[in-house]
């Protein structure tokens, strides 16, 4: 039941020793990157003094903004010729955050994912249909190599194209799928629309849900629809991607592999550590990666640490499912979107008035995004055909920026609710 029993069940004192060793190596490695060299000099930190996970508190946090500003190579710790792959965060806000991997990095990441998959019962004789997008997004290739390492037949079908997904599910009798939760719900309606029954006509055993927040209720619903067990898989490209934290068979929180990361949970306001059980922002330090070491990365994802031992026998601690974000990013159909991206597009269009809002809903099983935009009176009460062309133009420009096509509704000036103080732009009615 373990992929690497010794490491997965390593007594905590030994795990701590391993973390210490790997952290010290990581700090040396970080000193090869322009970013951390500058940071340590500026803050007057002696790298030799950072020896234990507790010492991390002397180092300032690293943010997504730092990664962006460090584009392209400020976080690179190895010569360029050692790099064999790069990945990037989903969504399109400005400069992407790019993470580089050496051959060894990829090998370790593959192993990390294999550990997760094995933990939930994926085996050599499984047929694994990976419904995540292949490419810069880590959910495709990241999970792919882990499944191959276990020896499962791995189908790189990628995201979308529901008819083809269904054809493969039916004809290859896939036993494991990796899928975005909102898409799992949507796909089930398409399956039924084709006259098929997800329980009777397929052979699914295991569903891996990743890339976006979802509730326990959504998980149960998906399990019920497909007649398979569904496990939560958390990750972010800055920390490799899939394999970051993963549920075991007990479905009681996600284990974080502490031989790969040092995990902290901090209060997002005070930045002080939160005790176990208290939700805060997840902060991660890579300790098993060469090309792109990142120290104390603020993920912006909110969860609580679970300190109690898990009945599965693994000693690596767990986090709860993700409860929210400390910034205003939202995830629509697996794509990370910041309201500011929508605003930027809208405010560049002269006909657009001052107010807008983004409404997210779940209709049947389909997530929808509607952008309601107030139009200046001289345009709103003018030519109807012109107004329709304006609507199409706004939709096109939004699609170019955020990569998904929202429904755009033009509304009368002054008709949207206003708030005193901080404007609420996103109204998320999807029951998570
Ligand atoms: P990316 O770097 O594009 O892979 O996006 C990573 C982000 O997706 C994370 O920081 C989370 O906000 C979100 N995410 C990924 N997996 C999960 C999950 N299982 N539950 C909730 N949010 C997730
Ligand atoms: Zn466990």
């Amino acid at each position: 039941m373990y992929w690497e029993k010794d490491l997965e069940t390593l007594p905590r004192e030994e795990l701590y020793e391993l973390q210490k060793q790997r952290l010290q190596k990581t700090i040396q490695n970080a000193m090869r990157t322009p970013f951390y060299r500058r940071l340590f000099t500026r803050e007057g930190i002696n790298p030799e003094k950072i020896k234990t996970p507790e010492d991390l508190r002397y180092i300032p946090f690293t943010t997504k903004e730092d990664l962006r500003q460090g584009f392209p190579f400020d976080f690179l710790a190895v010569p360029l010729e050692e790099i064999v792959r790069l990945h990037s965060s989903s969504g399109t806000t400005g400069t992407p955050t790019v993470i580089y991997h050496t051959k060894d990095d990829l090998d370790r990441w593959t192993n990390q994912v294999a550990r997760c998959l094995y933990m939930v019962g994926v085996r050599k004789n499984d047929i694994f249909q990976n419904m995540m997008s292949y490419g810069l997004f880590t959910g495709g290739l990241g999970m792919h190599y882990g499944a191959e390492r276990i020896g499962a037949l791995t189908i790189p079908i990628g995201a979308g194209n529901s008819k083809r997904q269904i054809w493969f599910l039916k004809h290859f009798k896939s036993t494991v799928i990796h899928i975005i939760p909102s898409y799992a719900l949507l796909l089930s309606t398409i399956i039924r629309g084709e006259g098929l029954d997800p329980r009777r006509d397929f052979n699914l055993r295991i569903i891996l849900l990743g890339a976006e927040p979802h509730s326990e209720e959504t998980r149960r619903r998906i399990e019920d629809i497909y007649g398979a067990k569904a496990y939560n898989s958390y990750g972010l490209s800055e920390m490799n991607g899939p394999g970051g934290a993963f549920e075991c068979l007990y479905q009681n929180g996600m284990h974080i592999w502490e031989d790969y990361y040092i995990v902290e949970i901090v209060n997002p306001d005070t930045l002080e550590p939160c005790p176990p059980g208290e939700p805060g922002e997840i902060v991660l330090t890579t300790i098993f990666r060469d090309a792109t070491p990142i120290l104390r990365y603020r993920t912006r994802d909110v969860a609580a640490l679970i300190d109690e031992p898990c009945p599965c026998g693994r000693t690596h601690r767990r986090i709860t499912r993700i409860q929210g974000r400390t910034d205003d990013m939202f995830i629509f159909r697996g794509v990370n979107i910041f309201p500011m991206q929508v605003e930027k597009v809208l405010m560049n269009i002269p006909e657009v008035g001052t107010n807008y809002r983004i409404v997210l809903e779940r209709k049947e099983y389909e997530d929808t995004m509607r952008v309601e935009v107030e139009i200046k009176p001289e345009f709103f009460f003018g030519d109807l055909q012109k107004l329709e062309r304006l609507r199409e133009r706004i939709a096109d420009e939004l699609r170019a920026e955020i990569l998904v096509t929202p429904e755009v509704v033009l509304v009368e000036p002054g008709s949207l609710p206003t708030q005193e103080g901080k404007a609420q732009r996103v109204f998320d009615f999807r029951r998570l």
Side-chain angles (χ1 to χ4, degrees), residues 274-291:
C274 294
E278 189 178 305
E281 187 175 317
I282 308 168
V283 171
L284 295 170
T285 297
T286 63
I287 50 170
F288 205 25
R289 196 163 77 175
D290 294 334

Side-chain angles (χ1 to χ4, degrees), residues 64 88-91 97 137-139 181 209-214 232-238 241-242 245 254 299-301 321-325 329 331 334 336:
K64 205 178 189 92
S88 168
S89 174
S90 66
T97 51
F137 178 57
T138 57
L209 298 176
E212 70 183 8
H214 55 287
N232 195 356
S233 157
Y234 166 76
L236 58 163
S237 52
E238 295 88 335
M254 300 181 278
T299 64
R300 303 286 173 184
D301 293 314
R321 64 175 62 249
I322 306 301
Q323 304 171 4
R325 299 263 313 167
M329 185 188 93
I331 303 184
N336 303 350

